[in-house]
């Protein structure tokens, strides 16, 4: 099986499954938070469950903190932990305990919608698409196509009345309304989406602080915060 790793420019790097990560003195593998999420959701197939009561109460059950939930999950051992539903279909084993812990931390540190988005990206070993390409001017609507190709749809910008040989005539000045694509709004939305994802990764790092994974140790590697800024 081949694993994928996403570089800073949004490209895809193929990496063999036998890729060896460095280890610390305890023998645990050093891994970035992005790599840990991809391992938990793409390799171990951890999933998230919707917490209806938690959503109504603002994201957390009244009087129950994240530490209590993680303690509950640890006490259950291989049983499905709260908010973590492993794939128990034929031929599948339970996710690794570390994967369940990562999924629980993700679910409890960000909104459910954002957690789902982060998990989906991790399953595909992808980062959010922030680079929509260079802006270019294009017609807002397209008109008829002829042997020269497709043409922008024209509109009347103004009518000019004038006299010609004593007769009143009207000339219609036409123009082609154009727009920049991708628009500034689309570019800003893509950047906001990337920053939301980056912030979610930072929240997972903070949520795992003080907790000990059995297989991994988080290193300090983070994706670039604003890759569209060349000086970052």
């Amino acid at each position: 099986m081949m694993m994928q790793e996403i570089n800073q420019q949004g490209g895809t790097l193929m990496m063999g499954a036998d890729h060896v990560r460095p280890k610390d003195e305890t023998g645990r593998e050093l891994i970035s938070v992005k790599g840990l999420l991809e391992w938990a959701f793409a390799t171990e197939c951890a999933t998230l469950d919707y917490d209806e009561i938690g959503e109504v109460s603002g994201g957390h059950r009244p009087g129950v903190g994240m530490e209590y939930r993680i303690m509950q999950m640890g006490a259950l051992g291989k049983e499905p932990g709260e908010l973590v539903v492993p794939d128990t279909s034929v031929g599948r084993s339970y996710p690794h305990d570390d994967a369940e812990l990562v999924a629980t931390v993700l679910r409890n540190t960000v909104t459910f919608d954002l957690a789902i988005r982060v998990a989906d990206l991790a399953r595909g070993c992808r980062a959010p698409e922030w680079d929509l390409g260079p802006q270019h001017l294009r017609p807002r609507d397209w008109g008829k196509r002829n042997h020269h190709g497709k043409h922008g749809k024209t509109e009347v910008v103004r009518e000019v009345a004038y006299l010609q040989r004593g007769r009143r005539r009207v000339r219609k000045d036409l123009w082609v309304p154009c727009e920049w694509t991708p628009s500034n709004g689309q570019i800003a939305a893509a950047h906001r989406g990337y920053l939301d994802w980056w912030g979610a990764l930072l929240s997972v790092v903070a949520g795992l602080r003080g907790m000990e994974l059995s297989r991994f140790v988080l290193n300090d590697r983070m994706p670039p915060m604003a890759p569209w800024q060349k000086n970052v």
Side-chain angles (χ1 to χ4, degrees), residues 153-219:
K153 187 176 181 180
T154 59
E155 293 182 5
V156 178
V157 63
R158 65 176 179 175
E159 295 184 353
V160 179
Y162 63 97
L163 294 175
Q164 185 180 35
R165 297 181 180 179
R167 297 183 61 181
R168 184 178 182 275
R169 299 183 182 275
V170 177
R171 183 187 74 243
K172 294 182 178 180
D173 291 342
L174 305 178
W175 75 313
V176 178
C178 295
E179 60 186 4
W180 289 100
T181 182
S183 67
N184 291 335
Q186 291 171 326
I187 294 173
H191 290 179
R192 283 195 303 270
Y194 182 94
L195 289 172
D196 288 343
W197 170 79
W198 193 90
L201 266 58
L202 201 62
S203 296
V204 171
V205 172
L208 288 173
R209 188 171 293 126
M211 301 180 188
E212 187 169 335
L213 300 171
S214 63
R215 179 174 173 178
F216 297 104
V217 174
L218 271 181
N219 58 30

